[in-house]
């Protein structure tokens, strides 16, 4: 049934109705020919005359074995579908004073997400006066990224946007792609976020773009944080 539909997509040989056609393809002289001449050229080569662009003026045709042409179209469609696989983004939420138990619970989930091929967007939400602890939140996110270094790499270093400081971690090569169809990224809420917030795909990035330095280099630029990259105190 599918092959029948493919055949109906294109007019070939005597089913072509135009008086003149533009010929393109391998081993032919490209140009405009009357239909009878084009059909003769295809027959002499032992191939078919396939109308690939019927709305052009004149219609564009290709001289090729029709079954080979359909096979090439099928391969091209598969390649396009593979490129359009969705990258899932999982969110993980922290507070500026997240305790060890909660931290380790979310760390395990993040490892699973990265192994499945999903990106992880971890963020610290500062409520009220807790914004005074933004340095503590940055330390927490850097520790989080460091603990996940085996499974993912930092795509975006800690960035404060409003009341949220976030970091983006992308899976390392070899991780299986998270299931999903269509193009673009999709942000999926995670059970490990500590909240039920979900966001649009446009929120998955930031004005800073991809990380321009490695995690280690970034930490070196902030010596005041180096000594604090221990486990955060419970609270």
């Amino acid at each position: 049934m599918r092959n029948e539909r493919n055949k109906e997509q294109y007019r070939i040989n005597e089913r072509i109705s135009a008086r003149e056609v533009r010929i393109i393809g391998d081993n032919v002289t490209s140009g405009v020919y009357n239909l009878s001449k084009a059909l003769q050229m295809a027959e002499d080569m032992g191939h078919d005359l396939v109308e690939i662009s019927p709305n052009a003026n004149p219609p564009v045709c290709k001289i090729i074995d029709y079954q080979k042409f359909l096979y090439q179209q099928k391969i091209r469609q598969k390649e396009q579908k593979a490129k359009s696989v969705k990258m899932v983004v999982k969110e993980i939420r922290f507070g500026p004073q997240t305790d060890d138990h909660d931290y380790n619970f979310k760390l395990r989930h993040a490892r699973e997400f990265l192994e499945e091929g999903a990106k992880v967007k971890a963020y610290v939400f500062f409520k009220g006066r807790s914004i005074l602890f933004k340095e503590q939140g940055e330390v927490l996110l850097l520790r989080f990224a460091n603990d996940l270094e085996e499974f993912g790499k930092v795509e975006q270093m800690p960035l404060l946007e409003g009341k949220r400081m976030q970091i983006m971690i992308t899976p390392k090569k070899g991780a299986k792609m998270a299931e999903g169809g269509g193009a673009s990224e999709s942000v999926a809420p995670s059970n490990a976020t500590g909240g039920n917030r979900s966001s649009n795909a446009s929120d998955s990035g930031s004005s800073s773009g991809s990380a321009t330095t490695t995690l280690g280099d970034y930490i070196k630029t902030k010596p005041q944080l180096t000594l604090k990259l221990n486990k955060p105190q419970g609270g």
Side-chain angles (χ1 to χ4, degrees):
M1 180 67 73
R2 183 175 298 176
N3 288 336
E4 291 299 323
R5 286 199 299 268
N6 286 336
K7 289 181 180 179
E8 292 174 1
Q9 288 181 357
Y10 305 96
R11 285 194 287 259
I12 66 171
N13 301 327
E14 287 76 14
R15 296 178 60 189
I16 300 172
S17 58
R19 293 184 178 181
E20 291 184 330
V21 296
R22 182 178 299 278
I23 300 296
I24 64 170
D26 301 326
N27 303 318
V28 297
T29 302
S30 299
V32 177
Y33 298 85
N34 62 55
L35 181 59
S36 60
K37 174 62 175 178
L39 288 170
Q40 187 61 52
M41 291 169 61
E43 184 177 349
D44 291 344
M45 296 176 66
H47 294 322
D48 300 294
L49 184 67
V50 182
E51 188 181 58
I52 60 175
S53 184
N55 296 325
N57 186 21
V60 178
C61 295
K62 189 172 186 178
I63 296 178
I64 188 174
D65 178 81
Y66 189 45
Q67 294 303 319
K68 180 180 179 180
F69 173 77
L70 291 178
Y71 176 75
Q72 291 175 343
Q73 292 296 103
K74 184 177 180 181
I75 295 299
R76 188 173 292 111
Q77 290 171 0
K78 284 185 176 181
E79 291 175 347
Q80 291 174 346
K81 184 177 181 181
K83 291 179 181 179
S84 67
V85 173
K86 180 189 300 181
M87 172 63 78
V88 175
V89 180
K90 296 285 190 176
E91 286 189 343
I92 293 183
R93 172 177 170 170
F94 292 101
Q97 295 180 322
T98 299
D99 60 36
D100 288 348
H101 176 77
D102 194 27
Y103 175 87
N104 290 325
F105 173 77
K106 293 173 180 178
L107 181 66
R108 287 195 298 271
H109 277 277
R111 287 173 178 170
E112 293 173 0
F113 296 149
L114 291 169
E115 288 177 335
E116 291 171 358
K119 288 185 179 182
V120 170
K121 178 166 70 173
Y123 66 93
V124 178
F125 182 75
F126 300 98
K127 185 177 180 181
R129 294 178 60 83
S130 66
I131 192 67
L132 298 174
F133 299 100
K134 62 182 180 179
E135 184 176 282
Q136 186 171 335
E138 184 174 14
V139 170
L140 187 152
L141 292 177
L142 290 174
R143 176 195 170 200
F144 191 66
N146 191 60
D147 288 344
L148 293 170
E149 193 170 18
E150 181 182 346
F151 306 92
K153 60 181 180 180
V154 177
E155 181 179 285
Q156 173 197 298
M157 293 298 174
L159 178 69
L160 183 64
E161 293 183 334
K163 295 183 178 181
R164 299 198 333 166
M165 180 178 288
Q166 64 187 33
I167 192 169
M168 183 73 77
I169 304 172
T170 189
K172 288 190 173 180
K173 291 182 179 179
K176 66 180 182 179
M177 184 65 70
E179 294 182 359
S184 79
E185 295 184 351
S186 170
V187 179
S190 160
N191 291 333
T193 60
N196 296 322
R197 180 188 180 278
S198 63
S199 61
N200 296 323
S202 61
D203 188 42
S204 64
S206 72
S207 58
S208 68
S210 299
T212 56
T213 58
T214 65
L215 179 62
D217 290 338
Y218 179 84
I219 293 174
K220 289 177 183 178
T221 66
K222 301 206 171 206
Q224 73 275 18
L225 300 181
T226 304
L227 296 178
K228 298 182 181 181
L229 281 175
N230 299 313
K231 291 185 178 181
Q233 299 296 318

